[in-house]
Amino acid sequence: METVTKRLWFFNLLYCFLIGRLVDSSSLSSVTPFLSVSSMVGNQAILPCSWKSRLGEVAPPACHIQWTTPVDTVFEQRGKERWQAEVFEGRVEVPEEKLGSGDCSLIINDVQIGDTGRYESFLLVDGAWSRTTRVFIQSVRLSVSDHKSRQSRAPGEDLVLDLYTRHSVRVVYLGSNSSEWSVLWMKGDGDSQRVKKHPVKEQLMIKELKLSDKGTYKVLDEEGLTISTVQLTVEENSTDRRSEQTLEYQVADDAAQRGCSALLFFSGLVANFLILHLL
């Protein structure tokens, strides 16, 4: 009997440890269900939200919607009145015509690497005695990835380098036989003989490529974050001149979920093993 009691005590201790590790390996956001949205720099991202999931079908007298990050308010709207954080100025909106039907999704245009993070939406509802209740609606995790591609050109051809966004301020270049990056283009600079900015589109043209132009080209934003990376090959008789675009979304969340599932599966095996030895 004493042996069985010790085994039961050991089983409970081990099980609690495994479950504790499982909970600890999950982020605090797992307490509140959240959605994941992925996008590429320069594209549009829509963070889903529906106030009907919290308030039902009855629309509040005035929809006062608020979107925040863990550190700041991103966007706030009540009727015709709108407020946007400086870093999102001119890039975020919640279509007013959709609010009445329950859609309070936040639209982020020209999305940037720095926009990556967790967003939460709230509805501010006026109650009795002029008191306002802040009702949580939805949590969304946004992942923004940079562009990556490999391109091949023949000497004498031109390379069109996409900048993707108006927030691109610098293009740097690392030659295949070099160890130091050099600045190829800066926003505001005039055109040079070989490097020309498109007058309308967010594109840069490098004219009449040479064999020495082989290397890596990076487009950077104001914060020095990478918007795109192009691996360029320049060789005679190049037959494959197509861009091989690689869309690489961040998979940290998926990896974490797989880790939690594996840990839970392992704890179940241990529990079954111990129970069999107790019988």
Side-chain angles (χ1 to χ4, degrees):
M1 181 66 182
E2 183 179 353
T3 302
V4 173
T5 302
K6 288 182 178 179
R7 287 183 177 180
L8 282 173
W9 178 85
F10 175 75
F11 163 72
N12 288 331
L13 181 63
L14 181 60
Y15 188 76
C16 290
F17 170 77
L18 291 172
I19 294 301
R21 291 290 296 171
L22 179 62
V23 172
D24 183 61
S25 65
S26 304
S27 64
L28 185 60
S29 62
S30 64
V31 177
T32 303
F34 64 87
L35 302 175
S36 293
V37 174
S38 298
S39 187
M40 305 291 289
V41 178
N43 292 348
Q44 182 186 85
I46 300 179
L47 310 188
C49 169
S50 175
W51 54 256
K52 287 186 177 181
S53 63
R54 297 290 181 180
L55 301 181
E57 296 294 330
V58 181
C63 286
H64 186 172
I65 190 70
Q66 183 184 69
W67 277 92
T68 69
T69 63
V71 297
D72 201 4
T73 298
V74 172
F75 178 85
E76 196 164 342
Q77 176 173 316
R78 180 187 177 117
K80 299 294 183 181
E81 299 177 350
R82 296 183 181 182
W83 181 89
Q84 306 172 39
E86 183 178 356
V87 69
F88 290 95
E89 190 70 35
R91 297 197 295 123
V92 291
E93 64 172 327
V94 174
E96 185 181 356
E97 64 275 9
K98 295 183 178 181
L99 270 175
S101 61
D103 189 350
C104 47
S105 302
L106 182 69
I107 299 175
I108 306 179
N109 296 302
D110 194 17
V111 70
Q112 302 298 304
I113 292 290
D115 296 339
T116 295
R118 180 169 174 169
Y119 296 76
E120 292 183 339
S121 59
F122 298 87
L123 193 67
L124 279 67
V125 181
D126 294 333
W129 298 290
S130 300
R131 296 182 62 180
T132 300
T133 302
R134 193 166 178 254
V135 181
F136 170 78
I137 304 175
Q138 181 65 59
S139 181
V140 182
R141 181 169 293 169
L142 173 63
S143 299
V144 183
S145 303
D146 57 315
H147 301 263
K148 292 179 173 64
S149 68
R150 296 180 181 272
Q151 299 192 33
S152 181
R153 296 290 186 275
E157 290 188 328
D158 298 336
L159 172 67
V160 176
L161 199 63
D162 285 313
L163 302 178
Y164 294 103
T165 168
R166 59 185 176 86
H167 293 279
S168 300
V169 299
R170 186 164 70 250
V171 175
V172 295
Y173 163 71
L174 179 67
S176 57
N177 297 319
S178 176
S179 60
E180 294 185 2
W181 291 89
S182 59
V183 177
L184 182 68
W185 171 83
M186 290 282 290
K187 190 172 185 176
D189 289 351
D191 293 341
S192 65
Q193 185 176 356
R194 294 188 59 216
V195 181
K196 300 183 182 298
K197 171 73 167 59
H198 194 284
V200 179
K201 299 178 181 180
E202 296 298 335
Q203 290 179 337
L204 203 65
M205 178 178 286
I206 305 175
K207 300 179 66 64
E208 300 178 356
L209 291 172
K210 305 174 183 179
L211 293 175
S212 58
D213 291 326
K214 177 182 177 181
T216 304
Y217 295 78
K218 283 183 177 289
V219 180
L220 308 177
D221 65 9
E222 300 99 327
E223 304 298 325
L225 300 176
T226 301
I227 292 173
S228 75
T229 302
V230 175
Q231 298 283 349
L232 176 65
T233 300
V234 182
E235 55 188 3
E236 299 283 358
N237 302 320
S238 177
T239 57
D240 185 5
R241 301 172 186 172
R242 294 174 297 175
S243 171
E244 301 174 2
Q245 194 71 26
T246 305
L247 308 181
E248 297 184 355
Y249 297 116
Q250 300 176 358
V251 295
D253 292 339
D254 292 339
Q257 291 175 1
R258 288 195 297 270
C260 290
S261 298
L263 187 57
L264 184 60
F265 176 73
F266 175 72
S267 66
L269 288 178
V270 173
N272 289 333
F273 174 79
L274 292 173
I275 290 174
L276 288 175
H277 278 70
L278 290 174
L279 296 178

